[in-house]
Amino acid sequence: MEKKWWHNAVVYQIYPRSFMDSNGDGIGDINGIISKLDYLQQLGINLIWLSPVYRSPMDDNGYDISDYEDIAAEFGTMAQMETLIAQAKQRDIHILMDLVVNHTSDEHPWFIEALKSKDNPYRDFYIWRKPAADGGPPNDFRSYFGGSGWALDEASGEYYLHQFSKRQPDLNWDNPRVHDEVHAMMNRWLAKGIGGFRMDVIDLIGKEVDKQIMANGKNLHLLIRQMNRATFGKGDYVTVGEAWSATPEDALLYSGAEREELSMVFQFDHIKQFWDEHAGKWCSKPFELASFKAVIEKWQTALAHQGWNSLFWSNHDLPRAVSKFGDEGAFRVPSAKMLATALHCLKGTPYIYQGEEIGMTNVRFETIDDYRDIESLNLYHVRLAEGVSHDEMMLGIHANGRDNARTPMHWDDSPNAGFTTVKPWIAVNPNYREINVAAALAEPDSILWHYQKMVALRKQYPVLVYGDFQPVLRDHPQVFAWVRSLDGERLLVLNNFTAEHLTLDIPPEMQNWHGECLISNYAPRDQLAVRLELQPYESFALLIGR
Ligand code: TEU
Ligand code: CA
């Protein structure tokens, strides 16, 4: 496999609205991010995925863009954005901008023009259909944010498509003028010295609307190859596509070296597997290790020698990692460290979502009024109208609502967790007095220093980057273990995924394994034996001596 500069890099995702407020308006901003670059350099990350900071009416917190080449006033100015890019680069950190081109805001000039008349030159930048015979929406396609995916434009009597909110009209990627405009915009951002792009719902841009094929439409990969050749393919950039529909076969199409498409994709099998078939994320199934292991092994094996995996437990749309896969209570610290070791010892590019490195947890606001996320708010009302009880829906939002990830970052135990000096745009998680960066920096054995060590190990040990993945103890119901091997070097990674003390019988062929324990969340383990007594969530990585 051709080695890439970013193969041993770790990505840190920033949700600007909730990261750091520098001007006391309760909203995080670009100068706030700049003020924390030394902290990120100390953590050792080399890439920042920056969720949208572009001009936007913020119907979906910036994923509804009205100007791709201007910065939202509440986040700052283009000059500040250029300073962030430059100051990050000085610290060997490269910025991945969020590319949201499946849709724009309904305040984008293209859409404002399109609304003027059916023969406006920008009309065909969007997807219009005549009403159904009953005057209603053209078909029964549902928006991800509830309700119909079609909105009526009274003036023209036609409906436009919106897969997300009605203020996020979908762009028509069958229109080559859309390609040209987007490619030109991307090249202007690349010229500003960014490191690449995270691409929002990229699997949806090739949609075949009338067949209601939204994801993986027939032209999708052609569109991505065209984008590659017209923009980032000209340089050594990092591109990661969000693809909720992706299978391992799709991922090989997206990230195969000879494909000239993307560096990698975000796939969500390890997330969706715990969603209810019918209620989806609003009714989550309990975590179950066997099927979880099967999904991770599937992806590690499928992209073993071709393509490249992304590795993440959470992001700005998902619940907090330690709440979903670990323990928020007595074992929050060891389980958060186990999740760090497990993720960073798999093959692919690891992503750390802001706050994960200090073990931030989900939040449980009592009333729906404390929530801000358009998806949660919309679906709360939609499902209550369908007869779901308030309590049941609040359970769903507490478990999988997107605001779990969006409460302000905990910098210290001062009011509002040191995020802002005034009332924040969304309430702070009350556990900030215990869980915050200042406390973690002061505690040598904290989750934060564990992440820092894990990020550093990735730069030291090529086996962590390029080593083959081989599961061991496959049938163990509570332990997830594997061996990474490269050029005769072997690394055993063993994780107790439960709060139980476990007696683990070691297979004969592994009993004399010994070497250097690179990282652990309890006492280092530098040799195995006939049997191991594992602590709750115990995890270690053992570089097996030759
Ligand atoms: O997300 C795509 C998406 O489908 C998820 O938001 C979805 O709602 C799911 O329920 C996740 O929990 C991307 C962005 O990441 C998200 O923030 C935007 O809201 C969305 O696209 C529209 O741009
Ligand atoms: Ca601010």
Side-chain angles (χ1 to χ4, degrees):
M1 167 181 290
E2 187 206 348
K3 293 193 167 37
K4 293 277 187 180
W5 67 268
W6 45 267
H7 275 166
N8 69 355
V10 171
V11 186
Y12 188 90
Q13 182 194 358
I14 291 179
Y15 193 71
R17 207 173 184 82
S18 304
F19 192 64
M20 183 59 199
D21 175 21
S22 68
N23 64 344
D25 63 355
I27 300 174
D29 48 55
I30 293 171
N31 279 346
I33 298 171
I34 293 172
S35 74
K36 296 297 182 182
L37 284 175
D38 290 342
Y39 164 75
L40 295 175
Q41 183 181 28
Q42 182 182 45
L43 182 58
I45 58 101
N46 296 103
L47 285 159
I48 289 175
W49 157 20
L50 181 61
S51 276
V53 291
Y54 316 95
R55 185 173 293 282
S56 164
M58 300 298 169
D59 187 53
D60 184 18
N61 286 0
Y63 281 91
D64 51 315
I65 298 169
S66 55
D67 186 336
Y68 288 104
E69 295 174 74
D70 194 5
I71 303 298
E74 60 251 63
F75 291 144
T77 65
M78 184 58 83
Q80 290 167 9
M81 184 63 218
E82 287 157 357
T83 301
L84 170 60
I85 295 169
Q87 295 229 354
K89 205 170 275 186
Q90 280 165 18
R91 297 167 175 82
D92 193 19
I93 296 175
H94 304 270
I95 307 286
L96 300 183
M97 293 299 283
D98 210 315
L99 182 76
V100 186
V101 292
N102 172 70
H103 45 268
T104 69
S105 163
D106 62 356
E107 292 189 14
H108 192 290
W110 297 340
F111 193 68
I112 291 168
E113 282 297 311
L115 286 174
K116 287 186 177 156
S117 70
K118 288 185 183 176
D119 51 21
N120 181 287
Y122 287 93
R123 184 76 171 188
D124 197 28
F125 270 49
Y126 297 89
I127 299 167
W128 302 90
R129 293 290 184 278
K130 297 197 172 353
D134 65 0
N139 60 33
D140 59 2
F141 173 72
R142 312 297 293 171
S143 158
Y144 286 101
F145 291 166
S148 169
W150 296 97
L152 178 62
D153 165 37
E154 304 280 352
S156 66
E158 289 189 334
Y159 284 84
Y160 65 86
L161 177 74
H162 61 90
Q163 293 190 67
F164 296 92
S165 91
K166 72 180 187 4
R167 302 203 59 196
Q168 291 168 296
D170 275 51
L171 281 170
N172 173 17
W173 275 86
D174 294 341
N175 179 345
R177 288 184 53 214
V178 168
H179 308 175
D180 300 345
E181 290 279 354
V182 170
H183 296 167
M185 172 268 285
M186 293 171 70
N187 281 324
R188 289 190 286 268
W189 272 107
L190 292 172
K192 288 181 187 297
I194 64 170
F197 294 102
R198 177 267 183 185
M199 300 180 175
D200 193 58
V201 286
I202 203 67
D203 60 339
L204 301 181
I205 66 171
K207 53 196 152 265
E208 300 172 57
V209 175
D210 302 326
K211 295 186 186 148
Q212 290 209 40
I213 296 173
M214 295 306 191
N216 293 317
K218 64 183 185 328
N219 296 330
L220 176 62
H221 290 283
L222 171 64
L223 291 170
I224 294 174
R225 256 198 309 284
Q226 284 173 342
M227 186 186 273
N228 174 304
R229 294 194 181 130
T231 65
F232 53 83
K234 300 179 190 148
D236 203 357
Y237 297 104
V238 179
T239 50
V240 53
E242 181 196 28
W244 280 80
S245 62
T247 63
E249 295 67 38
D250 295 323
L252 288 170
L253 296 177
Y254 285 114
S255 67
E258 75 303 331
R259 294 280 304 177
E260 289 187 72
E261 296 191 24
L262 307 178
S263 310
M264 66 193 103
V265 292
F266 289 132
Q267 54 83 17
F268 297 83
D269 280 3
H270 61 304
I271 304 295
K272 293 185 284 185
Q273 70 178 128
F274 298 115
W275 288 2
D276 176 81
E277 279 69 30
H278 311 295
K281 63 191 284 182
W282 306 115
C283 185
S284 59
K285 293 186 276 195
F287 178 78
E288 186 266 319
L289 187 61
S291 59
F292 179 76
K293 287 165 63 165
V295 163
I296 303 287
E297 288 171 13
K298 174 180 78 176
W299 282 89
Q300 288 286 298
T301 309
L303 278 66
H305 304 299
Q306 262 302 314
W308 188 260
N309 269 306
S310 65
L311 306 168
F312 64 95
W313 296 140
S314 72
N315 66 24
H316 64 293
D317 289 334
L318 301 174
R320 292 280 179 181
V322 77
S323 300
K324 177 59 74 178
F325 301 111
D327 177 277
E328 287 183 346
F331 301 112
R332 182 181 67 83
V333 173
S335 66
K337 290 179 178 180
M338 179 278 284
L339 289 168
T341 300
L343 190 85
H344 290 245
C345 288
L346 289 169
K347 187 173 184 188
T349 293
Y351 289 74
I352 302 172
Y353 178 65
Q354 68 182 46
E356 186 184 320
E357 77 275 19
I358 56 173
M360 283 178 66
T361 71
N362 280 358
V363 71
R364 282 172 198 63
F365 296 140
E366 289 321 312
T367 76
I368 191 66
D369 304 334
D370 288 323
Y371 286 90
R372 300 284 179 272
D373 166 34
I374 183 172
E375 182 189 57
S376 298
L377 294 172
N378 282 13
L379 270 298
Y380 174 85
H381 297 292
V382 166
R383 289 175 60 75
L384 261 64
E386 292 166 352
V388 174
S389 72
H390 163 83
D391 292 352
E392 194 182 345
M393 192 53 193
M394 291 310 284
L395 268 182
I397 291 174
H398 289 163
N400 282 327
R402 306 192 303 175
D403 281 335
N404 280 311
R406 300 174 182 188
T407 59
M409 179 69 174
H410 299 174
W411 293 106
D412 57 40
D413 61 3
S414 67
N416 298 312
F419 163 75
T420 182
T421 53
V422 297
K423 183 175 184 310
W425 71 276
I426 188 170
V428 174
N429 189 319
N431 61 15
Y432 73 89
R433 293 180 187 80
E434 178 212 346
I435 302 173
N436 62 69
V437 169
L441 288 169
E443 166 49 57
D445 192 29
S446 69
I447 301 167
L448 177 61
W449 294 118
H450 186 93
Y451 267 89
Q452 194 236 20
K453 183 172 181 184
M454 201 60 246
V455 173
L457 285 173
R458 195 177 170 78
K459 295 176 181 142
Q460 252 174 296
Y461 293 91
V463 67
L464 273 171
V465 179
Y466 297 110
D468 289 344
F469 170 91
Q470 185 56 48
V472 293
L473 305 168
R474 299 194 74 175
D475 307 327
H476 198 288
Q478 292 138 317
V479 169
F480 189 8
W482 57 89
V483 171
R484 303 286 305 279
S485 51
L486 182 72
D487 308 336
E489 188 162 60
R490 291 180 301 158
L491 181 78
L492 168 67
V493 184
L494 190 144
N495 309 284
N496 174 3
F497 255 81
T498 71
E500 313 310 315
H501 284 79
L502 294 181
T503 301
L504 179 64
D505 295 326
I506 303 296
E509 71 278 10
M510 295 168 61
Q511 290 175 1
N512 67 348
W513 285 6
H514 61 280
E516 181 193 357
C517 185
L518 298 186
I519 194 164
S520 63
N521 57 354
Y522 289 89
R525 297 243 185 208
D526 53 19
Q527 64 173 66
L528 301 189
V530 174
R531 176 170 302 111
L532 296 182
E533 297 303 330
L534 295 179
Q535 300 290 321
Y537 294 103
E538 181 167 353
S539 164
F540 62 88
L542 172 63
L543 193 65
I544 302 165
R546 295 179 194 264

